[in-house]
PDB file of all heavy atoms in Angstrom:
ATOM      1  N   ALA A 969      -0.622  -5.695  -0.795  1.00 94.00           N
ATOM      2  CA  ALA A 969       0.273  -5.878  -1.945  1.00 94.00           C
ATOM      3  C   ALA A 969      -0.442  -6.245  -3.246  1.00 94.00           C
ATOM      4  O   ALA A 969       0.157  -6.144  -4.316  1.00 94.00           O
ATOM      5  CB  ALA A 969       1.324  -6.942  -1.621  1.00 94.00           C
ATOM      6  N   ARG A 971      -1.291  -7.915  -6.321  1.00 91.00           N
ATOM      7  CA  ARG A 971      -0.616  -8.954  -7.102  1.00 91.00           C
ATOM      8  C   ARG A 971       0.910  -8.850  -6.992  1.00 91.00           C
ATOM      9  O   ARG A 971       1.637  -9.467  -7.731  1.00 91.00           O
ATOM     10  CB  ARG A 971      -1.069  -8.886  -8.546  1.00 91.00           C
ATOM     11  CG  ARG A 971      -2.597  -9.079  -8.672  1.00 91.00           C
ATOM     12  CD  ARG A 971      -3.086  -9.125 -10.085  1.00 91.00           C
ATOM     13  NE  ARG A 971      -2.557 -10.224 -10.853  1.00 91.00           N
ATOM     14  CZ  ARG A 971      -2.986 -11.491 -10.815  1.00 91.00           C
ATOM     15  NH1 ARG A 971      -3.969 -11.802  -9.996  1.00 91.00           N
ATOM     16  NH2 ARG A 971      -2.452 -12.409 -11.571  1.00 91.00           N
ATOM     17  N   ARG A 979      12.026  -5.666  -5.140  1.00 88.00           N
ATOM     18  CA  ARG A 979      12.960  -6.798  -5.030  1.00 88.00           C
ATOM     19  C   ARG A 979      13.967  -6.789  -6.176  1.00 88.00           C
ATOM     20  O   ARG A 979      15.143  -7.052  -5.977  1.00 88.00           O
ATOM     21  CB  ARG A 979      12.196  -8.121  -5.015  1.00 88.00           C
ATOM     22  CG  ARG A 979      11.561  -8.444  -3.704  1.00 88.00           C
ATOM     23  CD  ARG A 979      10.949  -9.847  -3.677  1.00 88.00           C
ATOM     24  NE  ARG A 979      10.111  -9.969  -2.509  1.00 88.00           N
ATOM     25  CZ  ARG A 979       8.795  -9.821  -2.507  1.00 88.00           C
ATOM     26  NH1 ARG A 979       8.136  -9.577  -3.619  1.00 88.00           N
ATOM     27  NH2 ARG A 979       8.116  -9.927  -1.383  1.00 88.00           N
ATOM     28  N   LEU A 981      15.175  -4.374  -7.562  1.00 87.00           N
ATOM     29  CA  LEU A 981      16.146  -3.305  -7.319  1.00 87.00           C
ATOM     30  C   LEU A 981      17.022  -3.598  -6.107  1.00 87.00           C
ATOM     31  O   LEU A 981      17.822  -2.767  -5.694  1.00 87.00           O
ATOM     32  CB  LEU A 981      15.411  -1.977  -7.124  1.00 87.00           C
ATOM     33  CG  LEU A 981      14.707  -1.462  -8.381  1.00 87.00           C
ATOM     34  CD1 LEU A 981      13.800  -0.297  -8.052  1.00 87.00           C
ATOM     35  CD2 LEU A 981      15.733  -1.059  -9.426  1.00 87.00           C
ATOM     36  N   GLY A 982      16.862  -4.783  -5.523  1.00 88.00           N
ATOM     37  CA  GLY A 982      17.725  -5.196  -4.428  1.00 88.00           C
ATOM     38  C   GLY A 982      17.166  -5.012  -3.038  1.00 88.00           C
ATOM     39  O   GLY A 982      17.846  -5.302  -2.060  1.00 88.00           O
ATOM     40  N   THR A1020       8.577  -5.887  13.995  1.00 94.00           N
ATOM     41  CA  THR A1020       9.787  -5.365  13.365  1.00 94.00           C
ATOM     42  C   THR A1020       9.474  -4.019  12.735  1.00 94.00           C
ATOM     43  O   THR A1020       8.316  -3.715  12.460  1.00 94.00           O
ATOM     44  CB  THR A1020      10.371  -6.353  12.328  1.00 94.00           C
ATOM     45  OG1 THR A1020      11.646  -5.906  11.921  1.00 94.00           O
ATOM     46  CG2 THR A1020       9.451  -6.492  11.124  1.00 94.00           C
ATOM     47  N   CYS A1027       1.609   1.441   0.714  1.00 91.00           N
ATOM     48  CA  CYS A1027       0.197   1.067   0.721  1.00 91.00           C
ATOM     49  C   CYS A1027      -0.445   1.802  -0.449  1.00 91.00           C
ATOM     50  O   CYS A1027      -0.833   2.959  -0.326  1.00 91.00           O
ATOM     51  CB  CYS A1027      -0.440   1.453   2.048  1.00 91.00           C
ATOM     52  SG  CYS A1027      -2.143   0.913   2.212  1.00 91.00           S
ATOM     53  N   THR A1041      -7.302   1.722  11.592  1.00 90.00           N
ATOM     54  CA  THR A1041      -6.507   0.515  11.857  1.00 90.00           C
ATOM     55  C   THR A1041      -5.455   0.332  10.763  1.00 90.00           C
ATOM     56  O   THR A1041      -4.300   0.007  11.051  1.00 90.00           O
ATOM     57  CB  THR A1041      -7.415  -0.728  11.941  1.00 90.00           C
ATOM     58  OG1 THR A1041      -8.365  -0.529  12.980  1.00 90.00           O
ATOM     59  CG2 THR A1041      -6.614  -1.986  12.215  1.00 90.00           C
ATOM     60  N   PHE A1055       1.807   6.329   0.766  1.00 76.00           N
ATOM     61  CA  PHE A1055       0.391   5.991   0.831  1.00 76.00           C
ATOM     62  C   PHE A1055      -0.320   6.649  -0.328  1.00 76.00           C
ATOM     63  O   PHE A1055      -0.153   7.842  -0.559  1.00 76.00           O
ATOM     64  CB  PHE A1055      -0.144   6.526   2.167  1.00 76.00           C
ATOM     65  CG  PHE A1055      -1.513   6.050   2.519  1.00 76.00           C
ATOM     66  CD1 PHE A1055      -1.691   4.911   3.272  1.00 76.00           C
ATOM     67  CD2 PHE A1055      -2.620   6.762   2.128  1.00 76.00           C
ATOM     68  CE1 PHE A1055      -2.953   4.481   3.622  1.00 76.00           C
ATOM     69  CE2 PHE A1055      -3.889   6.344   2.461  1.00 76.00           C
ATOM     70  CZ  PHE A1055      -4.048   5.200   3.216  1.00 76.00           C
ATOM     71  N   VAL A1063     -14.064   7.055  -8.209  1.00 45.00           N
ATOM     72  CA  VAL A1063     -14.642   5.771  -7.843  1.00 45.00           C
ATOM     73  C   VAL A1063     -16.122   5.603  -8.165  1.00 45.00           C
ATOM     74  O   VAL A1063     -16.692   4.599  -7.807  1.00 45.00           O
ATOM     75  CB  VAL A1063     -14.406   5.468  -6.344  1.00 45.00           C
ATOM     76  CG1 VAL A1063     -12.929   5.333  -6.069  1.00 45.00           C
ATOM     77  CG2 VAL A1063     -15.026   6.516  -5.462  1.00 45.00           C
ATOM     78  N   VAL A1080      -5.205   8.025  12.845  1.00 43.00           N
ATOM     79  CA  VAL A1080      -4.626   6.922  13.606  1.00 43.00           C
ATOM     80  C   VAL A1080      -5.311   6.895  14.965  1.00 43.00           C
ATOM     81  O   VAL A1080      -5.418   7.935  15.611  1.00 43.00           O
ATOM     82  CB  VAL A1080      -3.104   7.129  13.783  1.00 43.00           C
ATOM     83  CG1 VAL A1080      -2.509   6.031  14.630  1.00 43.00           C
ATOM     84  CG2 VAL A1080      -2.427   7.217  12.429  1.00 43.00           C
ATOM     85  N   ARG A1088      -2.271  13.842   5.724  1.00 40.00           N
ATOM     86  CA  ARG A1088      -2.562  14.952   4.833  1.00 40.00           C
ATOM     87  C   ARG A1088      -2.702  14.435   3.408  1.00 40.00           C
ATOM     88  O   ARG A1088      -1.888  13.690   2.929  1.00 40.00           O
ATOM     89  CB  ARG A1088      -1.456  15.988   4.894  1.00 40.00           C
ATOM     90  CG  ARG A1088      -1.352  16.624   6.245  1.00 40.00           C
ATOM     91  CD  ARG A1088      -0.372  17.778   6.204  1.00 40.00           C
ATOM     92  NE  ARG A1088      -0.131  18.262   7.537  1.00 40.00           N
ATOM     93  CZ  ARG A1088      -0.912  19.104   8.177  1.00 40.00           C
ATOM     94  NH1 ARG A1088      -1.989  19.560   7.615  1.00 40.00           N
ATOM     95  NH2 ARG A1088      -0.622  19.501   9.393  1.00 40.00           N
ATOM     96  N   GLY A1094       0.048  10.548  -2.830  1.00 43.00           N
ATOM     97  CA  GLY A1094       0.713  11.358  -1.825  1.00 43.00           C
ATOM     98  C   GLY A1094       1.968  10.662  -1.332  1.00 43.00           C
ATOM     99  O   GLY A1094       1.958   9.473  -1.073  1.00 43.00           O
ATOM    100  N   ALA A1098      11.322  11.630   2.116  1.00 37.00           N
ATOM    101  CA  ALA A1098      12.464  10.875   2.628  1.00 37.00           C
ATOM    102  C   ALA A1098      13.419  10.655   1.475  1.00 37.00           C
ATOM    103  O   ALA A1098      13.297   9.700   0.731  1.00 37.00           O
ATOM    104  CB  ALA A1098      12.005   9.549   3.209  1.00 37.00           C
ATOM    105  N   ILE A1120       1.128  -8.863 -19.050  1.00 73.00           N
ATOM    106  CA  ILE A1120      -0.003  -8.690 -19.974  1.00 73.00           C
ATOM    107  C   ILE A1120       0.360  -9.192 -21.370  1.00 73.00           C
ATOM    108  O   ILE A1120      -0.457  -9.770 -22.063  1.00 73.00           O
ATOM    109  CB  ILE A1120      -0.464  -7.216 -20.006  1.00 73.00           C
ATOM    110  CG1 ILE A1120      -1.052  -6.854 -18.634  1.00 73.00           C
ATOM    111  CG2 ILE A1120      -1.479  -6.970 -21.113  1.00 73.00           C
ATOM    112  CD1 ILE A1120      -1.327  -5.377 -18.471  1.00 73.00           C
TER     113      ILE A1120
END
Side-chain angles (χ1 to χ4, degrees):
R971 301 184 62 80
R979 282 187 193 98
L981 293 169
T1020 190
C1027 185
T1041 301
F1055 191 92
V1063 296
V1080 177
R1088 296 188 188 278
I1120 294 170

